Amino acid sequence: MPQIYIKDMRLHAFHGVLPQERVVGNDYVINVVVDYPFEAACLSDDVADTLNYAELAEVIKQEMAVQSNLLEHVAHRICTAIIRQFPKTRKVSIDLRKVTPPMSVDCNGAGVRVQIEN
């Protein structure tokens, strides 16, 4: 299945269990892969025959703007919004990482991976 992806999309959002996270926010890195049948676009050279990744980015931005306690909830919501917006989608995989999680260890972020099939 052909795939469309966005790699290392960076956004600032206000998700988290701690009150401070909902006030100050955190930086997030998002990787999304969408299985999408774009074979027609290979021949037509017409964006109407594929999933427009600029529109995909807007769906992600809209869902990231809605506060949630858990990244699991945010990632699942993004996947379902993508399927709703682009009904030809076969599968969505998302990797959502909080860059500086509030923990007592030094790391390069913490996050979740979610995959939903349509």
Side-chain angles (χ1 to χ4, degrees), residues 7-15 21 25-32 60 64 70-72 74-75 78 94-103 107-114:
K7 185 174 180 177
D8 296 336
M9 181 176 177
R10 290 170 179 78
L11 293 171
H12 191 82
F14 300 88
H15 309 300
E21 294 179 282
N26 209 313
D27 292 325
Y28 294 85
V29 176
I30 304 146
N31 290 289
V32 176
I60 296 166
M64 285 294 290
L70 301 177
L71 294 184
E72 292 86 344
V74 179
I78 291 170
I94 183 170
D95 178 58
L96 175 58
R97 178 169 45 107
K98 187 179 287 191
V99 174
T100 53
M103 336 190 274
C107 65
N108 191 23
V112 297
R113 284 195 178 116
V114 172

Side-chain angles (χ1 to χ4, degrees), residues 33-105:
V33 178
V34 180
D35 287 13
Y36 194 87
F38 61 73
E39 295 88 353
C42 295
L43 300 175
S44 70
D45 197 28
D46 187 344
V47 72
D49 290 331
T50 189
L51 189 159
N52 182 324
Y53 49 79
E55 292 176 7
L56 176 62
E58 285 303 314
V59 171
I60 296 166
K61 283 173 52 178
Q62 289 172 7
E63 292 302 323
M64 285 294 290
V66 178
Q67 282 188 340
S68 293
N69 289 327
L70 301 177
L71 294 184
E72 292 86 344
H73 182 71
V74 179
H76 184 268
R77 202 176 57 238
I78 291 170
C79 289
T80 57
I82 291 168
I83 290 170
R84 189 172 45 253
Q85 179 77 22
F86 308 104
K88 291 182 183 177
T89 296
R90 301 281 166 76
K91 181 170 53 175
V92 179
S93 302
I94 183 170
D95 178 58
L96 175 58
R97 178 169 45 107
K98 187 179 287 191
V99 174
T100 53
M103 336 190 274
S104 61
V105 297

